[in-house]
């Protein structure tokens, strides 16, 4: 009887000859006709749960990896478009102007220039669907001499004239007709808005006479009244008072109020615009379609717009239109630079969370590979002993993994591309491919290491050298970040700032891996001297590794530390952002609530009393302000200042709460004001103190009142005025200023505390004189802070961070569960033996908890300490202005709640996961072990 020879494939590739039942089915002495079962199918059938778990892990990881670049792209595009849309169509338009041609003007000439301008728009930007706005405008307006017109502060109203192409398509004629015709020497036919006509008290047929000046006298006849179809339409943006009369002020001191409006002329009135305004100007406004702009293409669009405004495109347009004085201006180049700077400032902060998720996920893949390697090590060594080559075995493992990983990865990538549509897909595919490669190679590489010849070198020394290299790299990264700070705007993502927290977490994990066995071993020895075996056995197993290892694996520690460190560091960043945003809002409002009277008015006493009585008000003060005062006697002769008159004690408490303009109220308690010559004690701001020496000064108020004041101290600004700069004089309310009656009637009420803004508005409506409630302005710090935080760029970064925290926590829990599963066979055997000796089921669960929780809880505590260290080491280099929405001092503020919340939250989740694993799988494993017997 002869034995059939082994096939070459099985001998070379390490594949088994086939299932035992297939080999035994062949008759003895006859060639076998049964072909060996395929390797991949056999392996998947033998362990379907492992295959499904591997596919699920790959699916989740690839989905997150592919979705992250897509989410970043969508957030950047949305932030760019929202940033530009908030600036309004006037700021995001290209404005071309040219001196109107002398002689006969025609709309067709304006249209030809518009067509030339549109023909030279670049491929990167397009004109908004609302279309261009063009026409001709008189260079100056004329004052109207009609005595029946309203004259606030004794100043005549002013009228501008312009021709606006296609105005009738955006307005509705209410009365009369659209302007046309008119005698060359007669009044100019114009159409006026209905709201402006009501304000000025004019109607169709009114002839508006102009004030005589150096030019020829002219008049305008109102032949029609119109109403804008939609006053918010971009068509009317940037045009001077065309939809209503505007309240304007003269540049004199004090300023005087007057009405200003504009009227439309017909196409045959174009030649009369130059005489009306001494000259006229043609204009073309081209609104750029900001909804089509993309953040990744912004540099190219910026170059095209720059060429259009002042480069070769502008030169070509002057030649094409034959207008040598054609000027093109736009705020878009500056806005593009601001948008790029904002995006680049947020990038390092937004990348910390995803980097943490990537680190934890990589650790999980390594743990999964180690678990699978431990489970199948005997199988792999048997294949190697039967003649299989390491290369052939690893190749078969690659094929086995490809069947599970590649379909799951492809499905995850397609799902990410479908859920988050964006024109850019290269980064998503590269990220998905990288994670797929890691998921595919983790176990084969681990198997290659297991099958390779064991090295007999000093492994502890190699480990020490590797740990020292990690520590040195971390120290260098932290030192460099602290030395130079965050990479400046324009340099792109700062890799050191992103890598430094992860390196700190890695160092923390290595340190804990060294300390934990020693500490837990000491606890085990202490527990061994006490009655009972559960605590001692659990701590002893926690102090050493499974499978004969001398110490526990460092990978679960690193996974938990990465999750807690990145979560705690990022949460501290967001907490500092909220704190900075609230501080900026308080400084802008002057407290938590401000009620302001209209210009030149005063707050009713009942209004301030009702607001002060609202729940939540801790401190409040009424102040009187004057922005048109002058101090005489300074270095430069006279200096314009802002005067603030308030009760010293309440005002000092408010300044201390807000954090601006703090002072000792005793400084303003001087006994001035006993006579007209006695100086009133005053606090000077630092800007004013630089211009003033010690002595007495004359203060002239905007309404003509005067005081003699003497400086008694210096303050840094005032809560009553936004901004830290400017010259400010603070005076005490009371007898010292009683000689000026207006100072006793505050025009602002400032308060600090948790006050409901709606209640404040109700109090204002209830106490305001009839018909004047709308003239009082209410501002709150909460609403201002919410407005600062409404930027899509900030919201996108915050959402990305919290999503990263959730992902890192999920992967960290998976790392803990994989560690438990890795030790499950050995633990089940131990528990089965102990059950035969009388161990109760609850004691088995206690043993599992005592074994698993020390490492998890130590890791979360260490992660909290590392997160605090990261904030202390890296915080001084971080600039949060882009996330706050306003300029704030550089640096992070270390607070315990954000870090402890992340650490305790993850510790709770880990504890629940360990309890669930012990309760669900522990009992089943023990029962299975008792039934099968000890085969080890």
């Amino acid at each position: 009887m002869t034995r059939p020879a082994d096939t070459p494939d099985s001998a070379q590739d390490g594949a088994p000859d086939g299932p035992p039942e297939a080999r035994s089915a062949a008759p003895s002495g006859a060639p076998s006709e049964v072909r060996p079962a395929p390797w991949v199918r056999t392996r998947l059938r033998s362990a379907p749960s492992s295959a499904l778990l591997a596919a699920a892990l790959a699916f989740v990881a690839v989905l997150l990896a592919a979705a992250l670049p897509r989410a970043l792209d969508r957030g950047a595009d949305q932030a760019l478009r929202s940033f530009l849309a908030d600036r309004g169509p006037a700021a995001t338009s290209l404005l071309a102007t040219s001196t109107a041609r002398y002689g006969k003007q025609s709309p067709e000439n304006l249209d030809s220039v518009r067509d030339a301008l549109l023909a030279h728009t670049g491929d990167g930007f397009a004109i908004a669907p609302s279309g261009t706005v063009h026409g001709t405008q008189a260079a100056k307006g004329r004052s109207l001499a009609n005595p029946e017109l309203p004259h606030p502060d004794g100043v005549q109203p002013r009228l501008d004239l312009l021709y606006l192409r296609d105005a009738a398509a955006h307005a509705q004629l209410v009365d009369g007709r659209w302007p046309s015709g008119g005698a060359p020497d007669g009044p100019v036919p114009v159409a006026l808005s209905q709201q402006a006509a009501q304000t000025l008290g004019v109607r169709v047929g009114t002839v508006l006479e102009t004030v005589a000046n150096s030019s020829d006298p002219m008049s305008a006849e109102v032949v029609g009244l119109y109403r804008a179809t939609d006053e918010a339409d971009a068509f009317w943006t940037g045009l001077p008072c065309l939809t209503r009369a505007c309240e304007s002020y003269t540049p004199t001191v004090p300023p005087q109020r007057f009405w200003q409006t504009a009227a439309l002329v017909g196409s045959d009135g174009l030649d009369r615009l130059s005489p009306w305004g001494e000259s006229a100007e043609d204009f073309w406004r081209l609104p750029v379609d900001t909804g089509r702009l993309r953040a990744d293409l912004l540099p190219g669009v910026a170059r095209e717009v720059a060429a259009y405004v002042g480069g070769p495109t502008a030169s070509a347009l002057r030649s094409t239109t034959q207008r040598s004085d054609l000027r093109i201006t736009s705020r878009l180049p500056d806005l593009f630079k601001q948008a790029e700077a904002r995006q680049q400032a947020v990038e390092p902060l937004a990348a910390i969370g995803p980097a943490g998720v990537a680190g934890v996920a990589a650790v999980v893949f390594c743990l999964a590979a180690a678990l699978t390697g431990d489970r199948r090590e005997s199988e792999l060594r048997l294949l190697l002993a039967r003649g299989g080559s390491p290369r052939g075995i690893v190749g078969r493992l690659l094929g086995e993994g490809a069947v599970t990983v590649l379909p799951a990865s492809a499905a995850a990538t397609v799902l990410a591309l479908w859920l988050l549509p964006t024109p850019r897909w290269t980064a998503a595919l590269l990220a998905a491919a990288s994670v797929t490669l890691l998921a595919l190679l983790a176990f084969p590489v681990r198997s290659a290491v297991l099958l390779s010849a064991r090295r007999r070198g000093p492994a502890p020394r190699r480990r020490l050298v590797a740990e020292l290299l990690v520590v040195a790299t971390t120290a260098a990264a932290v030192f460099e970040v602290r030395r130079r700070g965050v990479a400046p705007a324009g340099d792109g993502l700062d890799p050191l700032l992103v890598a430094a927290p992860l390196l700190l977490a890695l160092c923390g994990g290595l340190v804990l891996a060294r300390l934990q066995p020693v500490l837990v071993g000491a606890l085990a020895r202490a527990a061994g001297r006490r009655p009972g075996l559960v605590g001692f056995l659990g701590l002893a197993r926690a102090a050493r590794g499974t499978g004969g290892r001398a110490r526990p694996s460092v990978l679960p520690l690193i996974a938990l530390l990465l999750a807690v460190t990145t979560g705690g560091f990022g949460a501290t960043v967001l907490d500092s952002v909220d704190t900075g945003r609230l501080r900026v809002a308080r400084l802008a409002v002057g407290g938590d609530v401000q009620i302001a009277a209209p210009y030149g008015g005063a707050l009713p006493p009942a209004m301030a009393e009702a607001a002060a009585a609202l729940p939540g008000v801790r401190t409040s003060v009424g102040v009187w302000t004057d922005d048109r005062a002058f101090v005489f006697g300074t270095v430069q002769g006279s200096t314009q200042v802002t005067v603030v008159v308030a009760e010293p004690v309440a005002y000092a408490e408010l300044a201390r709460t807000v954090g601006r303009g703090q002072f000792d109220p005793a400084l303003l308690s001087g006994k001035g004001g006993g006579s007209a010559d006695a100086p009133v004690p005053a606090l000077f701001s630092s800007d004013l103190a630089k211009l003033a020496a010690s002595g007495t000064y004359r203060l002239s108020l905007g309404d003509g009142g005067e005081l003699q004041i003497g400086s008694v101290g210096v303050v840094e600004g005032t809560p009553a005025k936004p901004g830290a700069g400017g010259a400010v004089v603070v005076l005490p309310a009371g007898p010292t200023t009683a000689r000026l009656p207006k100072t006793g009637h505050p025009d602002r009420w400032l308060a600090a505390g948790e006050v409901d803004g709606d209640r404040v508005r109700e109090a204002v409506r209830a106490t305001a004189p009839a018909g004047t409630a709308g003239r009082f302005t209410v501002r709150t710090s909460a609403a201002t802070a919410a407005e600062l935080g409404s930027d899509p760029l900030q919201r996108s970064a915050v959402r990305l961070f919290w999503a990263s925290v959730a992902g890192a926590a999920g992967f960290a829990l998976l790392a803990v569960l994989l560690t438990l599963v890795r030790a499950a066979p050995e633990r089940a055997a131990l528990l089965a033996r102990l059950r035969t000796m009388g161990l109760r089921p609850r004691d088995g669960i206690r043993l599992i908890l005592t074994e698993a929780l020390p490492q998890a809880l130590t890791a979360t505590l260490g992660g909290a300490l590392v997160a605090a260290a990261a904030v202390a080491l890296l915080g001084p280099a971080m600039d949060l202005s882009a996330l706050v929405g306003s300029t704030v001092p550089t640096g992070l503020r270390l607070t315990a709640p954000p870090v402890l919340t992340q650490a305790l939250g993850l510790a709770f989740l880990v504890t629940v996961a360990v309890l669930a694993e012990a309760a669900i799988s522990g009992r089943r494993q023990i029962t299975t072990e008792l039934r099968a017997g000890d085969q080890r």
Side-chain angles (χ1 to χ4, degrees):
M1 183 178 295
T2 60
R3 178 184 177 189
D6 291 338
T7 61
D9 291 342
S10 63
Q12 294 300 321
D13 295 339
D17 293 338
E21 60 272 16
R23 295 193 301 270
S24 62
S28 178
S32 175
E33 297 180 357
V34 180
R35 300 181 63 184
W39 169 278
V40 174
R41 187 180 69 185
T42 303
R43 288 304 313 164
L44 294 181
R45 285 182 175 180
S46 64
S49 59
S50 298
L52 290 176
L53 289 176
L57 180 59
F59 179 85
V60 173
V62 173
L63 179 64
L64 293 177
L68 175 63
R70 310 277 289 182
L72 289 175
D73 289 342
R74 288 166 59 87
D77 290 346
Q78 182 183 4
L80 171 64
R81 294 162 185 170
S82 177
F83 172 75
L84 296 177
D86 291 342
R87 294 327 182 253
T92 57
S93 297
L94 302 169
L95 180 62
T97 57
S98 175
T99 303
R101 298 292 181 90
Y102 291 102
K104 190 66 176 178
Q105 296 282 341
S106 68
E108 289 73 18
N109 182 263
L110 298 175
D111 294 343
S112 64
V113 176
R114 176 203 59 188
D115 296 339
L117 293 171
L118 292 176
H120 284 74
T121 52
D123 296 332
F125 67 97
I127 303 303
S130 59
T132 62
V133 181
H134 61 287
T136 305
Q137 180 178 357
K140 297 180 181 179
R142 290 200 176 205
S143 299
L144 301 179
N146 300 58
E148 69 275 10
L149 299 180
H151 295 70
D153 296 342
V155 180
Q156 296 93 345
R158 293 182 64 85
L159 179 67
D160 294 310
L161 293 186
L162 71 158
Y163 167 74
L164 195 58
R165 187 69 162 160
D166 298 330
H170 298 269
Q172 179 183 1
L173 193 63
V174 177
D175 191 13
R177 59 181 176 85
W178 290 109
S180 62
D185 297 332
V188 182
V190 298
L192 197 64
S193 69
Q194 185 182 32
Q195 292 88 339
Q198 293 173 352
T199 302
L200 299 179
V202 301
R203 61 183 184 274
V204 174
T206 302
V207 177
L208 301 174
E209 303 290 343
T210 62
V211 177
N213 52 23
S214 58
S215 60
D216 296 334
M218 295 185 68
S219 60
E221 180 183 1
V222 180
V223 298
L225 301 179
Y226 65 88
R227 180 176 63 248
T229 306
D230 181 11
E231 292 190 23
D233 188 356
F235 181 84
W236 304 103
T237 302
L239 298 176
C241 305
L242 269 176
T243 59
R244 60 181 64 245
C246 303
E247 193 176 59
S248 302
Y249 294 87
T250 63
T252 59
V253 179
Q256 295 177 308
R257 188 165 56 101
F258 67 95
W259 291 109
Q260 183 174 6
T261 188
L264 296 174
V265 302
S267 58
D268 52 1
L270 280 169
D271 56 343
R272 307 193 67 178
L273 293 178
S274 293
W276 181 275
E278 299 181 2
S279 65
E281 185 178 64
D282 298 333
F283 65 90
W284 300 264
R285 179 162 59 83
L286 284 68
V288 175
D289 189 0
T290 58
R292 296 178 54 183
L293 296 179
R294 288 167 42 182
D296 62 319
L297 302 179
L298 191 58
V301 175
R303 288 191 294 269
E304 290 187 14
V305 172
Y308 200 100
V309 171
T313 306
S315 300
L317 284 170
R318 295 189 188 99
S319 175
T320 302
T321 60
Q322 298 181 357
R323 289 179 178 248
S324 58
D325 63 341
L326 183 68
R327 301 173 298 276
I328 304 176
T329 58
S330 178
R331 288 185 55 195
L332 280 174
D334 293 335
L335 293 178
F336 288 162
K337 291 180 182 178
Q338 296 176 24
E340 286 189 273
R342 293 169 71 250
Q343 181 65 35
Q344 291 165 353
V346 170
E347 279 181 356
L349 306 177
I352 293 175
V357 177
V360 179
V363 172
V364 169
F365 277 114
C366 294
L367 268 177
L371 173 62
T372 308
D374 289 349
R375 182 171 56 84
R376 299 179 59 178
E377 182 176 4
S378 58
E379 171 196 345
L380 298 178
R381 294 196 179 278
L382 177 61
L383 293 174
L384 187 64
R386 293 185 61 187
S389 65
R391 180 180 301 177
I393 295 174
V394 171
R396 291 297 179 91
L397 294 179
L398 279 173
E400 178 185 334
V403 173
T404 57
V405 170
L406 294 183
S409 300
T413 304
V414 172
L415 182 61
L417 297 178
W418 177 69
L419 290 177
L420 299 172
T422 179
R424 300 178 290 281
W425 49 268
T426 304
L429 292 183
L430 289 176
S434 301
V435 176
T436 301
L437 194 62
L438 176 62
L440 188 61
L441 295 180
F443 176 54
V445 170
R446 172 64 176 170
S447 301
V449 174
L450 289 175
L451 296 176
S452 62
R454 296 182 179 272
R455 297 181 180 179
R456 297 184 179 181
R461 183 176 299 175
R462 290 199 305 270
R463 177 180 175 180
L464 179 61
V465 171
E467 291 175 348
L468 290 178
L469 286 176
V470 172
V471 173
T473 304
T474 304
V478 173
F479 174 77
E480 184 65 15
V481 170
R482 288 181 61 88
R483 184 186 66 82
R484 64 163 173 79
V486 180
D491 290 352
L493 186 65
D494 189 347
L496 281 181
L497 182 64
V498 177
L502 306 183
L503 290 173
L504 287 172
L506 181 59
C507 287
L510 297 177
V511 171
L512 281 182
R514 292 280 186 178
L515 295 178
Q516 181 190 346
V518 178
L519 298 178
V520 179
L523 292 177
R525 289 190 295 271
R529 292 189 287 268
R530 300 175 61 88
L533 290 177
V534 174
F536 169 73
L537 287 176
L539 292 174
R541 286 177 57 82
R544 63 178 177 85
T546 60
R549 292 177 176 82
R551 56 175 60 89
S553 173
V554 71
L555 292 179
L557 277 173
I558 293 176
L560 290 171
L561 276 167
L562 283 173
V564 177
T565 301
T566 54
F569 185 77
T572 303
V573 170
L574 296 184
D575 181 73
S576 299
V577 167
D578 293 338
T579 303
R581 194 175 288 154
L582 181 59
R583 172 171 171 76
V584 170
R586 275 186 163 183
L587 293 176
V589 174
D592 291 313
V593 185
Q594 179 191 109
I595 304 176
Y599 182 82
L603 297 177
M607 184 180 295
E609 294 175 1
L614 291 174
V617 176
R618 293 196 305 268
T619 181
S620 64
V621 62
V623 298
W624 180 82
T625 60
D626 186 359
D627 295 329
R628 298 178 287 120
F630 285 85
V631 171
F632 293 92
T634 61
V635 173
Q636 58 188 21
S638 64
T639 303
Q640 187 172 0
V641 299
T642 297
V643 176
V644 178
V645 179
E647 196 280 319
V649 176
Y651 178 77
E653 177 64 19
L654 178 72
R656 184 191 64 79
T657 303
V658 174
R660 172 180 288 168
Q662 300 94 318
F663 68 98
D664 183 1
L667 295 174
L668 295 181
S669 60
K671 301 301 181 181
S675 64
D677 298 332
V680 176
L683 298 173
F684 284 8
S685 66
S686 56
D687 291 344
L688 180 61
K690 296 176 182 177
L691 303 175
S694 58
T696 302
Y697 303 90
R698 179 167 62 90
L699 176 65
S700 176
L701 301 179
D703 60 357
E706 289 190 356
L707 283 176
Q708 293 294 322
I709 59 174
S711 175
V712 295
V714 178
V715 293
E716 296 296 332
T718 171
K721 181 180 179 181
V728 178
V729 174
V730 180
L731 302 176
T736 56
T737 55
R739 69 192 69 170
L740 301 174
K742 276 193 173 183
T743 61
H745 302 283
D747 58 2
R748 298 183 189 182
W749 179 81
L750 307 174
E754 298 180 359
V755 189
D756 187 358
D758 294 335
R759 287 193 172 187
V760 177
R761 294 181 182 88
E762 291 178 2
V764 169
R765 287 192 294 268
T767 56
T772 63
R775 302 182 64 186
F776 295 92
T777 304
V778 177
R779 297 180 63 193
T780 64
S781 60
T784 304
E787 183 179 354
L788 288 173
S790 63
D791 187 355
L793 186 67
Q794 302 169 14
R795 293 201 305 267
S796 176
V798 172
R799 287 196 303 266
L800 180 64
F801 167 75
W802 288 118
S804 302
V805 168
F811 279 115
L813 288 178
L814 185 57
V816 173
L817 293 176
L818 287 175
T819 305
L820 294 174
V821 172
R822 188 178 187 181
E826 182 180 349
R827 184 176 62 240
L830 173 64
L831 292 176
R833 298 189 188 101
L834 294 176
R835 283 288 298 275
T836 61
M837 301 177 188
L839 183 73
R840 295 176 298 177
R842 69 175 62 180
D843 291 333
I845 295 178
R846 288 174 52 200
L847 178 62
I848 297 174
L849 294 177
T850 308
E851 175 187 347
L853 286 182
Q855 185 184 42
L857 298 181
T858 302
T860 54
L861 177 61
L865 295 177
V866 174
V871 173
L873 294 174
L874 304 176
M878 300 193 67
D879 185 4
L880 304 179
S881 299
L883 287 178
V884 172
S886 180
T887 302
V888 294
T890 301
L892 292 182
R893 185 171 62 94
L894 178 59
T895 54
V899 177
L900 291 179
T901 300
Q902 299 297 315
L904 296 179
L906 189 56
F908 173 77
L909 292 177
V910 169
T911 303
V912 171
V914 172
L915 283 171
E917 198 276 340
I920 296 174
S921 63
R923 186 184 302 272
R924 184 174 65 250
Q925 291 172 354
I926 295 172
T927 304
T928 303
E929 192 73 24
L930 288 173
R931 288 177 179 176
D934 189 3
Q935 300 177 358
R936 292 167 177 77

